[in-house]
Amino acid sequence: MRRSNRVRRRLDQVLVFAGAAVAAGAGTGVKFVDGGVQALLICLLAGGTGIGAYAANSLRARAAGPPPHVLISHPDGDEPWALWLAWRLRRIGYLTSTRSWAATERTVPPPPEVAPDHELIILSRALDDAGPATEETRPSRTRGRTVLALATTHRDPALTRWAGYEVLSLAGRTAAEAAATVDARLHHAGAGPRPDYTAPHVAGEAEPRYPGEGALVTNLQPRGVSHFTARRTELALLREVLGRVNVSGDGRICAIHGLSGIGKTRLALEYARRYEDLFDVIWMVEASHPPTARASLIALARALQERRERQPGAVAAQEERDPEQTLRRLLLNELPRTKSLLIYDGAEDDSAIRELLPDARNGGQVLITSVSPAWQRIAPHRIALEEFSAEEAVAFLRDASGVDDVTGLGRIVERLGRLPLPLEHAAAYLRQSPDIDSYLRALELPSSLTPPARADVSPSGAEAWILSFNQVEAKDEVAGLLLRLCAFLAPQGIPSYFFDTAADRTDLLPAALCESVTEPARYLRITGTAKSYSLLTGEGQLVMHTRVQAVIREAMTAHERSVHAADAARLVNGWFPEDPDRVRTWPQCVELLPHARVVLGHCRDDSVVDENTATLLQSVGEYFRAQGDHNEAERLLMEALHQRERLRDRSHPLVADTLFCISRLKVLRAELPEARDFAERALDIRTRLLGEGDLRTLDSRLQLGEVLRELGDFAAASAVVEQTIRRLRRRGDADPVKVAESLRDLGVVRWRQGRLPESIGHHREALQLLEQTPGGGERARRDDTASVHEALGLALLDSRDLEAAEHHLRTALAVLKDAKYAEGHPLVLSSSVHLGETLRQRAMRYRGRGDQRAGARERSSPGDLEAARLLGEAKRTFDRVLSAPHMNGDHPDRACALVRYAHLLLDQGNSEAAMTEVTNAHRIYTDKYGSRHPYVAEACYRRALIHKKRGQLQKALEDLETGREIYLGVHPADHPLLRQLDDELQDVSAAATGDHP
């Protein structure tokens, strides 16, 4: 436009000079041409000059007016494209407006009464899915209006409804390329934007994300060429019920149900891939096993976190090693604010995944695939997939195979049935050999792999899969071996590194397969042969349908099944991380969990028990322990123990390893008698077989000491830990960190015994060792440092050195914060609870109403303002702790927080709420530890103080006497807690008899 203006100005100047020259010549008598012609030329030049000036004035008038108006029309659900295009055009000086219309209406609305200068119509796959084109679908070209169609997604097959119209493809283009394409075409149509024009609502407008990037976070494999030609009606229905993403703000949940092999997962994946430009997150969850589904969602949360941290200027967030908190934040906070599509594949019923669905108020979408139709309670939309009709089956087979013999294809459909899966395998066979009669005869031939007799694994069409398998095995025996191995793994996402020579673990494969995959070209031929018959699919990861797997497995002999199940167990066990406590191993654990679960199930069915299955059970159980799923962890670890005891002598070191893992789990579950039994058995085995000085034996001693301490047997715990420290120090290669851990454990025991100076001394020595040992920045070292600071803070708290106690507790929290632990992590919550109690006691000292043990000088009140500040911080600390997901339910950590919170409520004058909280804590402690545990005595003591405050002296006496009796069972008579109880008993007794002053 600017170049055109310059040309017109130059032309005006030329005309002016030419006209002036001719007129001057006429005035002086100079004739360039004949006189009549000269007069005519002067008139023409003058007219041209005037016209040029008028055109220039007209252009200037247009430049001063409003910019061209561009209308962006789009089907429902394509708002991301419309918003991005509108933002881009406004930025360069256009007026824009948008309107949506339902793709199922098959009609583009006519232009508004005041027609725009130009219209852009966004074309998405939804338009092809809506049905065949009609004349009404085509936009009418009105005078002075340019209509352009923008194709926004890849076309395979090509979009058909808009043939004959100018279509600009934005598919596969970057944001800059797409913008340049649209700008150039509008400019060619005569559009002249005004760069100096900015609409009022555009100022400060944030740039929308360019939808052509596809999903930012996904676990789907890269899209290959799609041959999906069926289920267009269902695709259009999915688009209709789910398509208004981020418009209404309502959650969109749809369940796809039908027989196995009918195409549920294929339909869900095709929907995800067709409309991937509408979502920021697309994630598939293996939902048939709730623990695995939880692990997959936690992996999604971490993938989102990693992407946020990769953004420019991002600050590394605190690490949430508490999986429950991570999952809760994802479902309630993150996904509701994200354009997301979650596919819960293979869910059995709504009760299994109800708690794993994102907040229903979000604008994202959820697809559930299941054989069960009962999803009314959580899925407002449901699609029942049925078998193809005879005509649909023939059309599907014709499109997929390229064979046009409709009659012959009908015979195949009559033989195999109308399920998509067997027809797909028939099509794959026909693509290799398009002789229908030969294919039908081959279905009748006997083979080494015959249809199974069991009805539940003999679906219609099994002959097609068996024939395909036989053809593959006949062409390449090793390809058949690969298929047999894959039949014992999870159907989705078989990792390619299982067979990657660069990973240097091909020794885990069967010998014949190992020799073949070491040659990359040979491996490509093997997988290519299997894929050519549709027995395997996928690019980066392999996929094998579960019904094909079932037919291949069930057609084997019992011995063959055992061999291949054992091979699969060795493969998965070899790749499963050995130390699931390390956070960096969790993504690989999540990837391998479905395969571990499936292969272990097959090993159970076929009675395969070996060291690979036992080790895999233990590794997966340890992963679930680290993830907080204690029920699943116990089930797996107990099965691992049974297998190892069956394989080995009951006194084998591997058996001791499993016993040690179970003891750690039992402590977390507060099942202390069982934890003690497992710890003692592990220690006995390791002592006899490995010796007293072996590090594994010493680890078992520390574990037993922790169990004894939690049981309240402080004398025994002290003896065990002291013995461990002596043996550690006698080792020539004594690990200072391990010694520091032992000193911390001994310090905690001394604190429980009331020997506070000794406890403080052990903790200070442990801190000194940790500070002097190189590697203090490592994760494990920071955990140790924080735990020692916390334990030292507790000992100082009971020693009445409140300022020092606060210092060490805040230091523990600072160390955990530097280590990127989130506020809801159990380690952070524990230190926070004790900090809250310290702040409360400091506040009471300022208010002059400290514990009765404090002297008169300590009870002096320097200022109520400082007391109020401390109480406020303590209250906020407890509120934050008790709102954390880890504090839900009846965990002993919650009881510990409630006991201290109740004392704070009592100090604030809310004795009713204080009584409720301490009673809940008493119940939790009694349920978990029994009625004679020291923790129960502490709850009794705190409840007695509330009774005393409320004037219920008889109840206070009962609780004090119960607590004293419990403490006498575990502590000597001069223990500080017993002295404190005796003081309270004397005070309450005096008040009850009227002798109290």
Side-chain angles (χ1 to χ4, degrees), residues 108 121 123 133-142 145-151 159-169 185:
V108 178
I121 299 177
L123 306 183
T134 63
E135 291 298 325
E136 291 76 12
T137 60
R138 297 177 178 177
S140 59
R141 293 178 178 269
T142 59
R145 183 165 75 95
T146 303
V147 179
L148 302 175
L150 304 178
L159 193 70
T160 58
R161 301 191 62 196
W162 302 86
Y165 291 92
E166 183 176 9
V167 178
L168 301 180
S169 176
R185 188 56 188 85

PDB file of all heavy atoms in Angstrom, residues 108 121 123 133-142 145-151 159-169 185:
ATOM      1  N   VAL A 108     -22.526 -22.828   6.822  1.00  0.00           N
ATOM      2  CA  VAL A 108     -21.857 -21.634   7.317  1.00  0.00           C
ATOM      3  C   VAL A 108     -22.872 -20.508   7.346  1.00  0.00           C
ATOM      4  O   VAL A 108     -23.532 -20.243   6.332  1.00  0.00           O
ATOM      5  CB  VAL A 108     -20.667 -21.260   6.415  1.00  0.00           C
ATOM      6  CG1 VAL A 108     -20.002 -19.988   6.918  1.00  0.00           C
ATOM      7  CG2 VAL A 108     -19.675 -22.397   6.363  1.00  0.00           C
ATOM      8  N   ILE A 121     -12.689 -18.278   7.111  1.00  0.00           N
ATOM      9  CA  ILE A 121     -13.445 -19.416   7.634  1.00  0.00           C
ATOM     10  C   ILE A 121     -12.440 -20.501   8.020  1.00  0.00           C
ATOM     11  O   ILE A 121     -11.670 -20.977   7.178  1.00  0.00           O
ATOM     12  CB  ILE A 121     -14.443 -19.951   6.588  1.00  0.00           C
ATOM     13  CG1 ILE A 121     -15.454 -18.859   6.212  1.00  0.00           C
ATOM     14  CG2 ILE A 121     -15.174 -21.176   7.126  1.00  0.00           C
ATOM     15  CD1 ILE A 121     -16.419 -19.286   5.132  1.00  0.00           C
ATOM     16  N   LEU A 123     -11.290 -24.081   8.823  1.00  0.00           N
ATOM     17  CA  LEU A 123     -11.697 -25.436   8.484  1.00  0.00           C
ATOM     18  C   LEU A 123     -10.950 -26.414   9.381  1.00  0.00           C
ATOM     19  O   LEU A 123      -9.733 -26.405   9.435  1.00  0.00           O
ATOM     20  CB  LEU A 123     -11.362 -25.743   7.018  1.00  0.00           C
ATOM     21  CG  LEU A 123     -11.894 -24.760   5.971  1.00  0.00           C
ATOM     22  CD1 LEU A 123     -11.535 -25.245   4.588  1.00  0.00           C
ATOM     23  CD2 LEU A 123     -13.391 -24.593   6.099  1.00  0.00           C
ATOM     24  N   ALA A 133     -20.839 -32.944   1.878  1.00  0.00           N
ATOM     25  CA  ALA A 133     -21.044 -31.531   1.585  1.00  0.00           C
ATOM     26  C   ALA A 133     -22.364 -31.299   0.861  1.00  0.00           C
ATOM     27  O   ALA A 133     -22.875 -32.155   0.155  1.00  0.00           O
ATOM     28  CB  ALA A 133     -19.893 -31.017   0.726  1.00  0.00           C
ATOM     29  N   THR A 134     -22.918 -30.145   1.047  1.00  0.00           N
ATOM     30  CA  THR A 134     -24.085 -29.697   0.309  1.00  0.00           C
ATOM     31  C   THR A 134     -23.791 -28.316  -0.247  1.00  0.00           C
ATOM     32  O   THR A 134     -22.831 -27.662   0.152  1.00  0.00           O
ATOM     33  CB  THR A 134     -25.328 -29.633   1.221  1.00  0.00           C
ATOM     34  OG1 THR A 134     -25.077 -28.662   2.238  1.00  0.00           O
ATOM     35  CG2 THR A 134     -25.612 -30.970   1.875  1.00  0.00           C
ATOM     36  N   GLU A 135     -24.614 -27.868  -1.153  1.00  0.00           N
ATOM     37  CA  GLU A 135     -24.378 -26.557  -1.740  1.00  0.00           C
ATOM     38  C   GLU A 135     -24.442 -25.461  -0.696  1.00  0.00           C
ATOM     39  O   GLU A 135     -23.760 -24.456  -0.767  1.00  0.00           O
ATOM     40  CB  GLU A 135     -25.397 -26.289  -2.856  1.00  0.00           C
ATOM     41  CG  GLU A 135     -25.191 -27.158  -4.089  1.00  0.00           C
ATOM     42  CD  GLU A 135     -23.847 -26.920  -4.736  1.00  0.00           C
ATOM     43  OE1 GLU A 135     -23.377 -25.765  -4.730  1.00  0.00           O
ATOM     44  OE2 GLU A 135     -23.246 -27.883  -5.232  1.00  0.00           O
ATOM     45  N   GLU A 136     -25.302 -25.660   0.319  1.00  0.00           N
ATOM     46  CA  GLU A 136     -25.466 -24.622   1.324  1.00  0.00           C
ATOM     47  C   GLU A 136     -24.234 -24.443   2.192  1.00  0.00           C
ATOM     48  O   GLU A 136     -24.087 -23.431   2.870  1.00  0.00           O
ATOM     49  CB  GLU A 136     -26.677 -24.928   2.219  1.00  0.00           C
ATOM     50  CG  GLU A 136     -28.026 -24.811   1.515  1.00  0.00           C
ATOM     51  CD  GLU A 136     -28.309 -25.997   0.613  1.00  0.00           C
ATOM     52  OE1 GLU A 136     -27.576 -27.000   0.700  1.00  0.00           O
ATOM     53  OE2 GLU A 136     -29.255 -25.915  -0.190  1.00  0.00           O
ATOM     54  N   THR A 137     -23.354 -25.439   2.218  1.00  0.00           N
ATOM     55  CA  THR A 137     -22.177 -25.306   3.073  1.00  0.00           C
ATOM     56  C   THR A 137     -21.168 -24.350   2.499  1.00  0.00           C
ATOM     57  O   THR A 137     -20.294 -23.880   3.205  1.00  0.00           O
ATOM     58  CB  THR A 137     -21.499 -26.676   3.259  1.00  0.00           C
ATOM     59  OG1 THR A 137     -21.112 -27.158   1.986  1.00  0.00           O
ATOM     60  CG2 THR A 137     -22.439 -27.648   3.925  1.00  0.00           C
ATOM     61  N   ARG A 138     -21.255 -24.051   1.215  1.00  0.00           N
ATOM     62  CA  ARG A 138     -20.234 -23.239   0.589  1.00  0.00           C
ATOM     63  C   ARG A 138     -20.544 -21.764   0.799  1.00  0.00           C
ATOM     64  O   ARG A 138     -21.670 -21.317   0.580  1.00  0.00           O
ATOM     65  CB  ARG A 138     -20.165 -23.560  -0.898  1.00  0.00           C
ATOM     66  CG  ARG A 138     -19.763 -25.027  -1.135  1.00  0.00           C
ATOM     67  CD  ARG A 138     -19.763 -25.369  -2.593  1.00  0.00           C
ATOM     68  NE  ARG A 138     -19.339 -26.766  -2.796  1.00  0.00           N
ATOM     69  CZ  ARG A 138     -19.298 -27.347  -3.981  1.00  0.00           C
ATOM     70  NH1 ARG A 138     -19.644 -26.681  -5.067  1.00  0.00           N
ATOM     71  NH2 ARG A 138     -18.902 -28.595  -4.080  1.00  0.00           N
ATOM     72  N   PRO A 139     -19.558 -20.978   1.174  1.00  0.00           N
ATOM     73  CA  PRO A 139     -19.809 -19.558   1.423  1.00  0.00           C
ATOM     74  C   PRO A 139     -20.071 -18.818   0.117  1.00  0.00           C
ATOM     75  O   PRO A 139     -19.423 -19.058  -0.890  1.00  0.00           O
ATOM     76  CB  PRO A 139     -18.510 -19.083   2.080  1.00  0.00           C
ATOM     77  CG  PRO A 139     -17.477 -20.030   1.548  1.00  0.00           C
ATOM     78  CD  PRO A 139     -18.160 -21.337   1.390  1.00  0.00           C
ATOM     79  N   SER A 140     -21.033 -17.935   0.133  1.00  0.00           N
ATOM     80  CA  SER A 140     -21.332 -17.146  -1.059  1.00  0.00           C
ATOM     81  C   SER A 140     -20.378 -15.966  -1.131  1.00  0.00           C
ATOM     82  O   SER A 140     -20.049 -15.351  -0.123  1.00  0.00           O
ATOM     83  CB  SER A 140     -22.776 -16.644  -0.999  1.00  0.00           C
ATOM     84  OG  SER A 140     -22.965 -15.849   0.158  1.00  0.00           O
ATOM     85  N   ARG A 141     -19.919 -15.651  -2.323  1.00  0.00           N
ATOM     86  CA  ARG A 141     -19.012 -14.531  -2.516  1.00  0.00           C
ATOM     87  C   ARG A 141     -19.841 -13.300  -2.859  1.00  0.00           C
ATOM     88  O   ARG A 141     -20.485 -13.241  -3.902  1.00  0.00           O
ATOM     89  CB  ARG A 141     -18.013 -14.829  -3.633  1.00  0.00           C
ATOM     90  CG  ARG A 141     -17.036 -15.949  -3.290  1.00  0.00           C
ATOM     91  CD  ARG A 141     -16.120 -16.202  -4.481  1.00  0.00           C
ATOM     92  NE  ARG A 141     -15.145 -17.221  -4.162  1.00  0.00           N
ATOM     93  CZ  ARG A 141     -13.953 -16.967  -3.647  1.00  0.00           C
ATOM     94  NH1 ARG A 141     -13.605 -15.732  -3.372  1.00  0.00           N
ATOM     95  NH2 ARG A 141     -13.102 -17.938  -3.402  1.00  0.00           N
ATOM     96  N   THR A 142     -19.850 -12.339  -1.990  1.00  0.00           N
ATOM     97  CA  THR A 142     -20.605 -11.109  -2.235  1.00  0.00           C
ATOM     98  C   THR A 142     -19.662 -10.044  -2.768  1.00  0.00           C
ATOM     99  O   THR A 142     -18.450 -10.101  -2.572  1.00  0.00           O
ATOM    100  CB  THR A 142     -21.264 -10.623  -0.936  1.00  0.00           C
ATOM    101  OG1 THR A 142     -20.230 -10.389   0.015  1.00  0.00           O
ATOM    102  CG2 THR A 142     -22.218 -11.646  -0.387  1.00  0.00           C
ATOM    103  N   ARG A 145     -16.398  -8.429  -1.027  1.00  0.00           N
ATOM    104  CA  ARG A 145     -16.020  -9.212   0.153  1.00  0.00           C
ATOM    105  C   ARG A 145     -15.157 -10.388  -0.288  1.00  0.00           C
ATOM    106  O   ARG A 145     -15.505 -11.098  -1.227  1.00  0.00           O
ATOM    107  CB  ARG A 145     -17.266  -9.723   0.871  1.00  0.00           C
ATOM    108  CG  ARG A 145     -16.952 -10.495   2.155  1.00  0.00           C
ATOM    109  CD  ARG A 145     -18.216 -10.644   2.986  1.00  0.00           C
ATOM    110  NE  ARG A 145     -19.111 -11.643   2.424  1.00  0.00           N
ATOM    111  CZ  ARG A 145     -19.154 -12.917   2.806  1.00  0.00           C
ATOM    112  NH1 ARG A 145     -18.366 -13.314   3.764  1.00  0.00           N
ATOM    113  NH2 ARG A 145     -19.988 -13.759   2.257  1.00  0.00           N
ATOM    114  N   THR A 146     -14.039 -10.578   0.387  1.00  0.00           N
ATOM    115  CA  THR A 146     -13.134 -11.687   0.103  1.00  0.00           C
ATOM    116  C   THR A 146     -13.377 -12.787   1.128  1.00  0.00           C
ATOM    117  O   THR A 146     -13.416 -12.538   2.328  1.00  0.00           O
ATOM    118  CB  THR A 146     -11.671 -11.237   0.194  1.00  0.00           C
ATOM    119  OG1 THR A 146     -11.478 -10.149  -0.714  1.00  0.00           O
ATOM    120  CG2 THR A 146     -10.733 -12.373  -0.179  1.00  0.00           C
ATOM    121  N   VAL A 147     -13.555 -14.029   0.657  1.00  0.00           N
ATOM    122  CA  VAL A 147     -13.771 -15.169   1.537  1.00  0.00           C
ATOM    123  C   VAL A 147     -12.601 -16.132   1.355  1.00  0.00           C
ATOM    124  O   VAL A 147     -12.350 -16.614   0.254  1.00  0.00           O
ATOM    125  CB  VAL A 147     -15.104 -15.879   1.236  1.00  0.00           C
ATOM    126  CG1 VAL A 147     -15.271 -17.081   2.163  1.00  0.00           C
ATOM    127  CG2 VAL A 147     -16.264 -14.917   1.385  1.00  0.00           C
ATOM    128  N   LEU A 148     -11.878 -16.374   2.438  1.00  0.00           N
ATOM    129  CA  LEU A 148     -10.754 -17.304   2.411  1.00  0.00           C
ATOM    130  C   LEU A 148     -11.019 -18.426   3.405  1.00  0.00           C
ATOM    131  O   LEU A 148     -11.512 -18.182   4.503  1.00  0.00           O
ATOM    132  CB  LEU A 148      -9.447 -16.593   2.785  1.00  0.00           C
ATOM    133  CG  LEU A 148      -9.030 -15.408   1.920  1.00  0.00           C
ATOM    134  CD1 LEU A 148      -7.788 -14.763   2.501  1.00  0.00           C
ATOM    135  CD2 LEU A 148      -8.785 -15.850   0.501  1.00  0.00           C
ATOM    136  N   ALA A 149     -10.683 -19.660   3.034  1.00  0.00           N
ATOM    137  CA  ALA A 149     -10.819 -20.805   3.930  1.00  0.00           C
ATOM    138  C   ALA A 149      -9.439 -21.212   4.413  1.00  0.00           C
ATOM    139  O   ALA A 149      -8.508 -21.353   3.616  1.00  0.00           O
ATOM    140  CB  ALA A 149     -11.499 -21.966   3.217  1.00  0.00           C
ATOM    141  N   LEU A 150      -9.292 -21.395   5.730  1.00  0.00           N
ATOM    142  CA  LEU A 150      -8.010 -21.734   6.330  1.00  0.00           C
ATOM    143  C   LEU A 150      -8.079 -23.145   6.899  1.00  0.00           C
ATOM    144  O   LEU A 150      -8.810 -23.396   7.858  1.00  0.00           O
ATOM    145  CB  LEU A 150      -7.652 -20.731   7.430  1.00  0.00           C
ATOM    146  CG  LEU A 150      -7.616 -19.254   7.019  1.00  0.00           C
ATOM    147  CD1 LEU A 150      -7.296 -18.391   8.232  1.00  0.00           C
ATOM    148  CD2 LEU A 150      -6.589 -19.025   5.937  1.00  0.00           C
ATOM    149  N   ALA A 151      -7.333 -24.062   6.299  1.00  0.00           N
ATOM    150  CA  ALA A 151      -7.256 -25.420   6.829  1.00  0.00           C
ATOM    151  C   ALA A 151      -6.197 -25.440   7.929  1.00  0.00           C
ATOM    152  O   ALA A 151      -5.057 -25.061   7.698  1.00  0.00           O
ATOM    153  CB  ALA A 151      -6.899 -26.405   5.727  1.00  0.00           C
ATOM    154  N   LEU A 159      -9.166 -32.969   3.141  1.00  0.00           N
ATOM    155  CA  LEU A 159     -10.484 -32.399   3.409  1.00  0.00           C
ATOM    156  C   LEU A 159     -11.262 -32.329   2.104  1.00  0.00           C
ATOM    157  O   LEU A 159     -10.751 -31.883   1.085  1.00  0.00           O
ATOM    158  CB  LEU A 159     -10.317 -31.008   4.016  1.00  0.00           C
ATOM    159  CG  LEU A 159     -11.562 -30.381   4.634  1.00  0.00           C
ATOM    160  CD1 LEU A 159     -11.929 -31.119   5.908  1.00  0.00           C
ATOM    161  CD2 LEU A 159     -11.304 -28.915   4.951  1.00  0.00           C
ATOM    162  N   THR A 160     -12.513 -32.773   2.094  1.00  0.00           N
ATOM    163  CA  THR A 160     -13.271 -32.888   0.846  1.00  0.00           C
ATOM    164  C   THR A 160     -14.402 -31.879   0.719  1.00  0.00           C
ATOM    165  O   THR A 160     -14.838 -31.581  -0.383  1.00  0.00           O
ATOM    166  CB  THR A 160     -13.872 -34.299   0.739  1.00  0.00           C
ATOM    167  OG1 THR A 160     -14.712 -34.531   1.878  1.00  0.00           O
ATOM    168  CG2 THR A 160     -12.768 -35.339   0.707  1.00  0.00           C
ATOM    169  N   ARG A 161     -14.902 -31.339   1.792  1.00  0.00           N
ATOM    170  CA  ARG A 161     -16.142 -30.564   1.719  1.00  0.00           C
ATOM    171  C   ARG A 161     -15.959 -29.229   1.030  1.00  0.00           C
ATOM    172  O   ARG A 161     -16.931 -28.623   0.613  1.00  0.00           O
ATOM    173  CB  ARG A 161     -16.692 -30.317   3.124  1.00  0.00           C
ATOM    174  CG  ARG A 161     -16.981 -31.576   3.899  1.00  0.00           C
ATOM    175  CD  ARG A 161     -17.758 -31.274   5.151  1.00  0.00           C
ATOM    176  NE  ARG A 161     -19.046 -30.680   4.812  1.00  0.00           N
ATOM    177  CZ  ARG A 161     -19.817 -30.040   5.687  1.00  0.00           C
ATOM    178  NH1 ARG A 161     -19.402 -29.888   6.915  1.00  0.00           N
ATOM    179  NH2 ARG A 161     -20.963 -29.535   5.317  1.00  0.00           N
ATOM    180  N   TRP A 162     -14.720 -28.725   0.930  1.00  0.00           N
ATOM    181  CA  TRP A 162     -14.515 -27.372   0.428  1.00  0.00           C
ATOM    182  C   TRP A 162     -13.782 -27.374  -0.907  1.00  0.00           C
ATOM    183  O   TRP A 162     -13.143 -26.400  -1.277  1.00  0.00           O
ATOM    184  CB  TRP A 162     -13.753 -26.559   1.474  1.00  0.00           C
ATOM    185  CG  TRP A 162     -14.501 -26.550   2.762  1.00  0.00           C
ATOM    186  CD1 TRP A 162     -14.426 -27.481   3.744  1.00  0.00           C
ATOM    187  CD2 TRP A 162     -15.475 -25.606   3.168  1.00  0.00           C
ATOM    188  NE1 TRP A 162     -15.298 -27.184   4.753  1.00  0.00           N
ATOM    189  CE2 TRP A 162     -15.956 -26.014   4.436  1.00  0.00           C
ATOM    190  CE3 TRP A 162     -15.996 -24.445   2.601  1.00  0.00           C
ATOM    191  CZ2 TRP A 162     -16.926 -25.315   5.130  1.00  0.00           C
ATOM    192  CZ3 TRP A 162     -16.951 -23.746   3.300  1.00  0.00           C
ATOM    193  CH2 TRP A 162     -17.410 -24.178   4.545  1.00  0.00           C
ATOM    194  N   ALA A 163     -13.872 -28.474  -1.625  1.00  0.00           N
ATOM    195  CA  ALA A 163     -13.244 -28.551  -2.933  1.00  0.00           C
ATOM    196  C   ALA A 163     -13.843 -27.475  -3.853  1.00  0.00           C
ATOM    197  O   ALA A 163     -15.045 -27.238  -3.864  1.00  0.00           O
ATOM    198  CB  ALA A 163     -13.453 -29.934  -3.537  1.00  0.00           C
ATOM    199  N   GLY A 164     -12.983 -26.857  -4.651  1.00  0.00           N
ATOM    200  CA  GLY A 164     -13.438 -25.811  -5.554  1.00  0.00           C
ATOM    201  C   GLY A 164     -13.332 -24.414  -5.001  1.00  0.00           C
ATOM    202  O   GLY A 164     -13.578 -23.447  -5.723  1.00  0.00           O
ATOM    203  N   TYR A 165     -12.939 -24.275  -3.757  1.00  0.00           N
ATOM    204  CA  TYR A 165     -12.777 -22.962  -3.158  1.00  0.00           C
ATOM    205  C   TYR A 165     -11.317 -22.756  -2.779  1.00  0.00           C
ATOM    206  O   TYR A 165     -10.583 -23.712  -2.555  1.00  0.00           O
ATOM    207  CB  TYR A 165     -13.671 -22.807  -1.926  1.00  0.00           C
ATOM    208  CG  TYR A 165     -15.129 -22.751  -2.280  1.00  0.00           C
ATOM    209  CD1 TYR A 165     -15.895 -23.909  -2.309  1.00  0.00           C
ATOM    210  CD2 TYR A 165     -15.734 -21.545  -2.621  1.00  0.00           C
ATOM    211  CE1 TYR A 165     -17.221 -23.876  -2.649  1.00  0.00           C
ATOM    212  CE2 TYR A 165     -17.072 -21.500  -2.967  1.00  0.00           C
ATOM    213  CZ  TYR A 165     -17.813 -22.667  -2.988  1.00  0.00           C
ATOM    214  OH  TYR A 165     -19.126 -22.614  -3.337  1.00  0.00           O
ATOM    215  N   GLU A 166     -10.927 -21.522  -2.670  1.00  0.00           N
ATOM    216  CA  GLU A 166      -9.547 -21.218  -2.324  1.00  0.00           C
ATOM    217  C   GLU A 166      -9.298 -21.550  -0.858  1.00  0.00           C
ATOM    218  O   GLU A 166      -9.897 -20.949   0.022  1.00  0.00           O
ATOM    219  CB  GLU A 166      -9.241 -19.749  -2.584  1.00  0.00           C
ATOM    220  CG  GLU A 166      -7.796 -19.407  -2.305  1.00  0.00           C
ATOM    221  CD  GLU A 166      -7.475 -17.965  -2.654  1.00  0.00           C
ATOM    222  OE1 GLU A 166      -8.407 -17.203  -2.948  1.00  0.00           O
ATOM    223  OE2 GLU A 166      -6.285 -17.615  -2.610  1.00  0.00           O
ATOM    224  N   VAL A 167      -8.451 -22.515  -0.621  1.00  0.00           N
ATOM    225  CA  VAL A 167      -8.146 -22.960   0.735  1.00  0.00           C
ATOM    226  C   VAL A 167      -6.673 -22.727   1.007  1.00  0.00           C
ATOM    227  O   VAL A 167      -5.805 -23.195   0.257  1.00  0.00           O
ATOM    228  CB  VAL A 167      -8.489 -24.457   0.937  1.00  0.00           C
ATOM    229  CG1 VAL A 167      -8.120 -24.902   2.346  1.00  0.00           C
ATOM    230  CG2 VAL A 167      -9.960 -24.715   0.672  1.00  0.00           C
ATOM    231  N   LEU A 168      -6.384 -22.000   2.057  1.00  0.00           N
ATOM    232  CA  LEU A 168      -5.009 -21.788   2.490  1.00  0.00           C
ATOM    233  C   LEU A 168      -4.712 -22.761   3.625  1.00  0.00           C
ATOM    234  O   LEU A 168      -5.423 -22.776   4.627  1.00  0.00           O
ATOM    235  CB  LEU A 168      -4.808 -20.348   2.975  1.00  0.00           C
ATOM    236  CG  LEU A 168      -5.095 -19.241   1.958  1.00  0.00           C
ATOM    237  CD1 LEU A 168      -4.850 -17.889   2.607  1.00  0.00           C
ATOM    238  CD2 LEU A 168      -4.241 -19.409   0.729  1.00  0.00           C
ATOM    239  N   SER A 169      -3.685 -23.569   3.492  1.00  0.00           N
ATOM    240  CA  SER A 169      -3.345 -24.539   4.528  1.00  0.00           C
ATOM    241  C   SER A 169      -2.352 -23.927   5.512  1.00  0.00           C
ATOM    242  O   SER A 169      -1.302 -23.426   5.122  1.00  0.00           O
ATOM    243  CB  SER A 169      -2.744 -25.799   3.913  1.00  0.00           C
ATOM    244  OG  SER A 169      -2.346 -26.691   4.928  1.00  0.00           O
ATOM    245  N   ARG A 185      -2.084 -13.143   1.708  1.00  0.00           N
ATOM    246  CA  ARG A 185      -3.323 -13.343   0.938  1.00  0.00           C
ATOM    247  C   ARG A 185      -4.295 -12.187   1.136  1.00  0.00           C
ATOM    248  O   ARG A 185      -4.980 -11.772   0.193  1.00  0.00           O
ATOM    249  CB  ARG A 185      -3.980 -14.673   1.354  1.00  0.00           C
ATOM    250  CG  ARG A 185      -5.156 -15.047   0.465  1.00  0.00           C
ATOM    251  CD  ARG A 185      -4.738 -15.104  -0.991  1.00  0.00           C
ATOM    252  NE  ARG A 185      -5.874 -15.272  -1.889  1.00  0.00           N
ATOM    253  CZ  ARG A 185      -6.618 -14.278  -2.346  1.00  0.00           C
ATOM    254  NH1 ARG A 185      -6.355 -13.025  -1.975  1.00  0.00           N
ATOM    255  NH2 ARG A 185      -7.609 -14.504  -3.180  1.00  0.00           N
TER     256      ARG A 185
END
